[in-house]
Amino acid sequence: MSVTATLRQCHRLRKHLKALQEEIDRGPRVLKAQQARLAAEEQAHADHHEAVKRLKLKQRDDEGTLKQTEARLAKLEQQLQGISVPKEYKAKESEIEQARAKRAELEDAILATMGEVEERTAAVPAVDRKWGDAMAEFAQYEVDAAARFERMKADQIDTQAALVKAEADIPAKNRPTYDHLVKGHGPDAFAAVKDRVCQGCRTGLTQQKVIELSGGAFSQCPSCGKMLYPAAE
Ligand SMILES: [Zn+2]
């Protein structure tokens, strides 16, 4: 195999290794985002049920207060019958007025709460389903992510082995340059040449350089220093 063919292969393998590593590194961030989404769904689900419970409690409290208010009102109305002093009569009347206003207020509140409880209770199946879906989705994500991770790890090992094998074909005299460049630039140490143009820096190459390359020799771009190979047809 010519040196340029080897460089082409090494470039491909190193690009693939870099992409693999980036995806592996992204894994924990993706997991964190998925966990945050699940937690938000869990909270929304719990909040909904908590709201229903709270509304029902308020309903019960208001109903209790209404009963007390009604009993008090009945007592006040009875007391009114026995009063003959006008000033006292007026005071009692005012008391009755206040109790009636409170009764009306409670009745309104109870009706409003009832409507809200009904509405939220009707939404419970949908809310439960949404939470169930979120849990199932997360479980599926975990299974998929684990499988993907295994695949990438295996791919990484295979690609690494293929790279070592390919790099063994780099001539010994070029090896120090090669090692120095890939150490500093990774996959960016290589560039294909297409239509006499270095694809790394877009500089046009001399005719002599192109001939050198097509002969399969080890060669670097005079402009950007990347190791060159002719682009595959
Ligand atoms: Zn270049």
Side-chain angles (χ1 to χ4, degrees):
M1 197 187 281
S2 66
V3 180
T4 47
T6 300
L7 288 176
R8 180 187 298 123
Q9 198 183 359
C10 291
H11 191 196
R12 183 178 58 78
L13 293 169
R14 283 190 174 268
K15 272 195 291 193
H16 185 56
L17 278 174
K18 190 180 179 199
L20 273 176
Q21 193 56 54
E22 280 169 359
E23 199 177 339
I24 287 169
D25 292 345
R26 230 175 358 252
R29 286 205 304 280
V30 175
L31 172 65
K32 231 176 169 179
Q34 291 283 349
Q35 282 169 334
R37 241 181 65 189
L38 184 70
E41 288 289 352
E42 185 175 25
Q43 191 63 54
H45 176 254
D47 285 351
H48 190 92
H49 281 277
E50 183 57 36
V52 172
K53 217 161 71 185
R54 217 173 40 236
L55 284 166
K56 281 180 175 167
L57 272 178
K58 175 175 160 40
Q59 179 89 339
R60 223 180 51 196
D61 283 355
D62 283 353
E63 278 167 358
T65 314
L66 178 62
K67 233 175 226 160
Q68 284 168 10
T69 307
E70 277 168 344
R72 182 159 169 268
L73 196 54
K75 203 171 143 198
L76 288 171
E77 277 163 348
Q78 206 182 11
Q79 286 168 348
L80 189 68
Q81 307 306 315
I83 295 172
S84 50
V85 182
K87 201 176 160 192
E88 279 176 27
Y89 191 91
K90 229 178 158 79
K92 191 59 74 181
E93 256 189 339
S94 153
E95 230 179 309
I96 288 170
E97 207 53 51
Q98 277 168 30
R100 280 183 181 150
K102 187 171 184 193
R103 182 178 65 184
E105 197 181 295
L106 282 165
E107 282 170 347
D108 286 353
I110 287 166
L111 264 179
T113 308
M114 216 184 275
E116 211 176 328
V117 166
E118 212 170 289
E119 208 173 288
R120 283 182 184 260
T121 303
V124 161
V127 168
D128 286 352
R129 211 177 316 117
K130 195 161 176 258
W131 170 228
D133 287 350
M135 280 192 291
E137 223 173 276
F138 184 76
Q140 188 59 52
Y141 157 77
E142 279 188 312
V143 169
D144 291 347
R148 200 163 48 240
F149 182 76
E150 287 309 316
R151 254 192 337 263
M152 288 190 296
K153 276 290 182 193
D155 193 356
Q156 209 172 31
I157 289 165
D158 292 348
T159 308
Q160 193 62 51
L163 181 65
V164 169
K165 198 160 167 278
E167 286 178 343
D169 288 341
I170 305 269
K173 65 174 176 346
N174 302 127
R175 195 62 200 249
T177 307
Y178 177 92
D179 286 342
H180 176 72
L181 285 172
V182 293
K183 187 166 182 255
H185 307 285
D188 291 335
F190 308 82
V193 174
K194 204 173 164 190
D195 302 326
R196 292 189 186 183
V197 174
C198 166
Q199 301 300 297
C201 67
R202 302 277 150 194
T203 301
L205 301 172
T206 61
Q207 182 68 28
Q208 196 206 326
K209 198 82 182 163
V210 172
I211 291 167
E212 223 175 271
L213 267 175
S214 49
F218 181 91
S219 153
Q220 288 173 258
C221 173
S223 173
C224 67
K226 292 181 200 287
M227 295 176 281
L228 301 174
Y229 59 85
E233 290 306 314

